[in-house]
């Protein structure tokens, strides 16, 4: 599993891990029922604290992306991917509405905003 963390990012490390794992699940790279690395193994591979990986796994479990089986580990939870995608679209629309309001207040044109979005989306 390729997870890349950035210490210079303003995003907490546990959140970077959770976001990337969500992406892997949503893209089907991690499938339902597939075992995830143990918290200790992931922490060792990423050279971070076990507490950080534990927090990422807890967030993923709270959001329904994984399940923990005592004594066996963490597994990708069964999900209705259409509902997950719909939730992502809803959250994106909320955030874009805020961005549009900010752009309008600052006199930023739609073309400038579209150009910025193209640049930001291309970095992923």
């Amino acid at each position: 599993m390729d997870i890349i963390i950035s210490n210079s990012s303003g995003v907490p490390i546990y959140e970077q891990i959770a976001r990337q794992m969500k992406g892997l699940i949503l893209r089907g790279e991690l499938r339902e029922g597939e075992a995830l690395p143990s918290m200790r193994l992931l922490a060792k591979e990423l050279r971070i604290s076990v507490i950080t990986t534990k927090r990422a796994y807890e967030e993923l479990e709270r959001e329904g992306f994984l399940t923990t089986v005592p004594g066996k580990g963490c597994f990708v939870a069964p999900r209705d991917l259409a509902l997950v995608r719909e939730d992502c679209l809803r959250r994106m629309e909320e955030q874009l509405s805020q961005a549009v309001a900010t752009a309008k207040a600052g006199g930023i044109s739609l073309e400038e905003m579209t150009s910025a979005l193209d640049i930001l989306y291309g970095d992923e």
Side-chain angles (χ1 to χ4, degrees), residues 12 14 39 50-60 62:
Y14 79 91
M39 291 178 213
V50 174
I51 295 169
T52 303
T53 56
K54 183 176 192 269
R55 188 164 179 191
Y57 277 34
E58 286 172 347
E59 181 175 312
L60 289 164
R62 186 175 45 254

Side-chain angles (χ1 to χ4, degrees), residues 18-32:
R19 283 183 186 176
Q20 290 180 52
M21 284 189 164
K22 285 179 206 175
L24 291 169
I25 293 167
L26 291 172
R27 288 190 303 273
E29 294 176 38
L30 287 175
R31 292 185 176 81
E32 179 180 325

Side-chain angles (χ1 to χ4, degrees), residues 111-122:
E111 292 78 23
E112 290 172 300
M113 189 169 176
T114 302
S115 175
L117 186 59
D118 285 340
I119 291 167
L120 291 171
Y121 197 85

Side-chain angles (χ1 to χ4, degrees), residues 70-90:
K72 294 197 177 189
C74 296
F75 300 86
V76 176
R79 298 200 41 106
D80 182 346
L81 293 181
L83 290 176
V84 172
R85 188 171 191 288
E86 190 63 35
D87 182 57
C88 286
L89 284 169
R90 180 191 53 77

